[in-house]
Amino acid sequence: MLKKQPDNIDEIPIFDEAVVYLRGEYWQFRMWLPKENKYARKSLGTRNKSTAIERGKEFYLELLANQKAGKTYFSLTTKEGVEKYLKYRQKHLEIGNIVKGRLGTIKTHLDHWLDFIKRDYKLKELQRTDCEDYFYTRRTSNKKRPISASTIANEQSTINAMVGYLFKHNETLIDGFDFPPIPKSEKNVEDLRRECFLPEEINPLVKALYKYIDEGKKDLSTHQNLNMVIAGYYFLIAMKTGLRTGEQRQLKWSDVKLEWINPKPK
């Protein structure tokens, strides 16, 4: 039943639970939502009474279907949605599913998205096409050093992971954005793999590290020398495996076995 009964000829009941009413020149929709203890209001964008009634009925049925599916009408902002998702990912950090550096990267990605979409945008007003210009905007945001295509692709993946999570919790009406494919011209070799040193660049570094390690091995009874050896091997493993810092910190020495294809540099 209506919380407030129509009180004049410019208020017309819709299925006994909502009304369309005239405000100024345009018709509006109003419906009381008991579960949210608020009115759902919407401009019907027409001056025509018959059109307003038809649009009101359509919106009523849409609201009713969403309510039965457990979806709320009132929406969090994009900023609040990001905060909710980060709290969820914080739990993953606490149980060891992700490392602190990964959570920091997620925060950075979503902060860039908030700069793009704006922080006060309603989550339930998001459309799948709202991020069509995300790649172009991020790519041109730094004139001196354009952001790589792989970086933007990773950001887009993080954004859609968050939207998918919010959709499952009835905070959005979409489960992801339709990001346009990244142009092939934007993809180069460095976007498809991690940058690495060339042999002529890395050999001097390897020699210097072995020298550093050998210096520390002269007396392992001191903390300083022991730290030299550990740090030296840490960097050698990183150079040989390409592991990220967070990934490598999860390793134990029992997980590592060094097998050099070439003899130790002299």
Side-chain angles (χ1 to χ4, degrees), residues 7-120:
D7 55 12
N8 58 58
I9 59 173
D10 291 331
E11 290 194 356
I12 302 168
I14 300 291
F15 299 123
D16 294 329
E17 293 186 20
V19 296
V20 295
Y21 61 98
L22 192 62
R23 189 170 72 179
E25 297 182 355
Y26 289 89
W27 288 88
Q28 314 288 323
F29 174 94
R30 183 181 73 235
M31 177 178 173
W32 178 252
L33 304 177
K35 290 183 179 179
E36 300 182 62
N37 201 34
K38 292 181 181 179
Y39 277 108
R41 291 184 171 89
K42 179 182 176 67
S43 172
L44 298 172
T46 182
R47 300 176 183 178
N48 184 277
K49 180 178 178 179
S50 297
T51 302
I53 293 173
E54 289 304 312
R55 290 181 181 177
K57 289 179 178 179
E58 290 175 3
F59 188 56
Y60 167 83
L61 293 173
E62 179 184 331
L63 271 176
L64 189 64
N66 287 336
Q67 293 280 305
K68 288 184 176 180
K71 297 179 180 179
T72 58
Y73 174 73
F74 291 95
S75 174
L76 298 178
T77 64
T78 48
K79 180 182 177 182
E80 291 168 336
V82 166
E83 290 172 350
K84 180 171 182 174
Y85 181 66
L86 290 177
K87 287 180 181 178
Y88 163 70
R89 297 312 303 266
Q90 175 68 32
K91 295 177 182 177
H92 291 180
L93 173 64
E94 293 170 0
I95 62 176
N97 282 357
I98 61 173
V99 298
K100 187 175 181 179
R102 176 56 185 161
L103 182 60
T105 298
I106 292 172
K107 289 180 179 178
T108 300
H109 287 178
L110 297 178
D111 198 48
H112 289 315
W113 178 69
L114 287 174
D115 288 339
F116 172 83
I117 204 73
K118 306 309 176 190
R119 286 165 168 73
D120 57 353

Side-chain angles (χ1 to χ4, degrees), residues 110-154:
L110 297 178
D111 198 48
H112 289 315
W113 178 69
L114 287 174
D115 288 339
F116 172 83
I117 204 73
K118 306 309 176 190
R119 286 165 168 73
D120 57 353
Y121 201 97
K122 299 295 184 183
L123 286 178
K124 288 197 171 130
E125 293 179 3
L126 292 173
Q127 302 293 319
R128 297 192 68 90
T129 57
D130 281 346
C131 287
E132 284 183 336
D133 293 331
Y134 186 81
F135 179 86
Y136 174 79
T137 302
R138 289 287 292 129
R139 185 68 161 168
T140 58
S141 62
N142 190 329
K143 301 294 184 182
K144 294 183 179 180
R145 188 179 179 183
I147 299 168
S148 72
S150 61
T151 295
I152 300 173
N154 289 335

Side-chain angles (χ1 to χ4, degrees), residues 172-199:
T172 66
L173 301 180
I174 60 172
D175 61 359
F177 294 108
D178 293 332
F179 289 105
I182 295 176
K184 291 183 179 180
S185 59
E186 296 290 350
K187 296 179 180 179
N188 55 46
V189 174
E190 299 305 337
D191 283 333
L192 299 176
R193 64 175 176 83
R194 297 181 187 178
E195 293 186 34
C196 61
F197 292 105
L198 297 173

